[in-house]
């Protein structure tokens, strides 16, 4: 069975500081990996994804994540955060099988302070 | 604009009543999903459907029912058998089993 662990439930950081949100997964098969962002009382929006190819993937708003197969990790990073990045972030894994189901981590709340 | 709509945004019901949450998509996606979100627990899969007239139980299907009579629609019924129904419910869809899921805005259900 697959599982996803987000190691930090809350990450407070000052504006313009760098941030890393950690995600580790467990799976016996190859996987797809995703990061979603959720603003208060809204649905989830896809931030970035790893399907294959380059292990470093980037989003349009400055976030990046690196797939590390040996460490089974997919940590999310941003070199300089903005107030508007305050949200909850979810890491998710999907196997390459036939269901398309996503397994989500518990979420990490990023709190950007002025 | 293409997207997923969920209605209503907020829903209040008395204990013991069944309630149906709506989910519609105009993305022409084959697969649709229902998740439940509780604070600190991430999202948990209730039911999913990969094709019209077919659906499968997810991890927490007890006390819920679904139907998939049309490709665009995947309503979720929260029955009186669901012991703790108060939660935020999210619907999602995807083109197929290997594509990312797109989410609706959610319905917050409160059972009084």
């Amino acid at each position: 069975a697959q599982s996803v662990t987000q190691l930090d439930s809350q990450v407070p950081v000052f504006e313009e500081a760098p941030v890393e949100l950690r995600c580790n997964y467990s799976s016996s098969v190859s996987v797809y990996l995703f990061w979603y962002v959720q603003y208060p009382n809204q649905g989830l929006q896809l931030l970035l994804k790893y399907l294959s190819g380059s292990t470093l993937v980037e989003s349009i708003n400055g976030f990046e994540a690196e797939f590390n197969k040996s460490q089974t990790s997919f940590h999310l990073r941003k070199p300089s955060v903005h107030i508007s990045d305050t949200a909850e972030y979810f890491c998710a894994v999907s196997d390459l099988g036939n269901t398309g189901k996503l397994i989500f981590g518990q979420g990490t709340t990023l709190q950007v302070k002025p | 604009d293409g997207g997923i709509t969920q209605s209503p945004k907020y829903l209040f019901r008395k204990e013991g009543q069944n309630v149906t949450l709506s989910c519609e998509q105009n993305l022409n996606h084959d697969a649709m999903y229902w998740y439940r979100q509780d604070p600190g627990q991430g999202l948990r899969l209730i039911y999913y459907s990969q094709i019209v007239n077919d659906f499968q139980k997810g991890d927490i299907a007890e006390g819920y029912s679904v139907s998939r009579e049309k490709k665009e629609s995947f309503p979720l019924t929260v029955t009186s058998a669901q012991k703790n129904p108060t939660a935020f419910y999210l619907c999602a869809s995807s083109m197929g089993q290997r594509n990312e899921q797109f989410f609706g805005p959610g319905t917050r259900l409160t059972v009084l």
Side-chain angles (χ1 to χ4, degrees):
Chain A
Q2 297 167 315
S3 66
V4 177
T5 301
Q6 291 183 242
L7 298 163
D8 306 294
S9 60
Q10 294 187 345
V11 174
V13 64
F14 286 105
E15 194 173 18
E16 298 183 3
V19 70
E20 178 180 79
L21 307 184
R22 297 179 292 170
C23 173
N24 286 90
Y25 69 93
S26 172
S27 176
S28 58
V29 299
S30 296
V31 296
Y32 295 147
L33 293 158
F34 305 86
W35 275 100
Y36 284 87
V37 59
Q38 183 181 35
Y39 299 100
N41 293 311
Q42 294 186 24
L44 275 67
Q45 302 172 30
L46 180 68
L47 193 58
L48 45 75
K49 62 184 178 183
Y50 170 78
L51 304 180
S52 64
S54 173
T55 58
L56 183 65
V57 290
E58 298 176 351
S59 72
I60 59 173
N61 57 354
F63 283 94
E64 65 178 29
E66 186 163 16
F67 170 55
N68 188 318
K69 188 174 182 179
S70 62
Q71 296 186 6
T72 60
S73 68
F74 191 54
H75 301 331
L76 182 69
R77 302 185 183 95
K78 189 171 185 180
S80 176
V81 295
H82 302 287
I83 295 287
S84 59
D85 292 324
T86 296
E88 189 157 21
Y89 293 79
F90 291 95
C91 181
V93 61
S94 172
D95 64 27
L96 273 62
N98 59 0
T99 67
K101 293 193 299 181
L102 291 178
I103 306 298
F104 285 87
Q106 300 91 328
T108 297
T109 300
L110 176 62
Q111 302 164 322
V112 182
K113 305 175 182 180
Chain B
D1 289 336
I4 304 175
T5 58
Q6 291 186 243
S7 61
K9 187 172 179 63
Y10 298 96
L11 188 56
F12 297 88
R13 279 295 181 270
K14 292 183 178 180
E15 194 171 341
Q17 289 181 330
N18 291 357
V19 61
T20 297
L21 281 59
S22 169
C23 177
E24 304 279 332
Q25 54 98 359
N26 61 3
L27 300 168
N28 199 33
H29 285 173
D30 290 315
M32 297 187 74
Y33 308 81
W34 273 107
Y35 294 90
R36 170 182 172 137
Q37 185 178 18
D38 296 283
Q41 295 193 48
L43 278 71
R44 292 180 289 168
L45 183 64
I46 304 172
Y47 268 98
Y48 65 103
S49 167
Q50 293 177 293
I51 197 169
V52 175
N53 291 323
D54 187 46
F55 48 83
Q56 287 79 39
K57 293 181 179 180
D59 301 317
I60 56 165
E62 185 176 352
Y64 299 97
S65 65
V66 294
S67 62
R68 186 84 186 278
E69 297 177 1
K70 298 186 299 181
K71 188 175 184 178
E72 304 79 23
S73 178
F74 190 40
L76 173 75
T77 297
V78 184
T79 74
S80 56
Q82 169 51 232
K83 296 180 181 178
N84 187 19
T86 294
F88 190 50
Y89 290 88
L90 288 160
C91 178
S93 70
S94 69
M95 180 65 74
Q97 56 214 28
R98 297 194 174 198
N99 296 86
E100 65 265 27
Q101 293 181 19
F102 293 84
F103 284 79
T107 293
R108 187 168 298 281
L109 172 64
T110 302
V111 175
L112 306 172

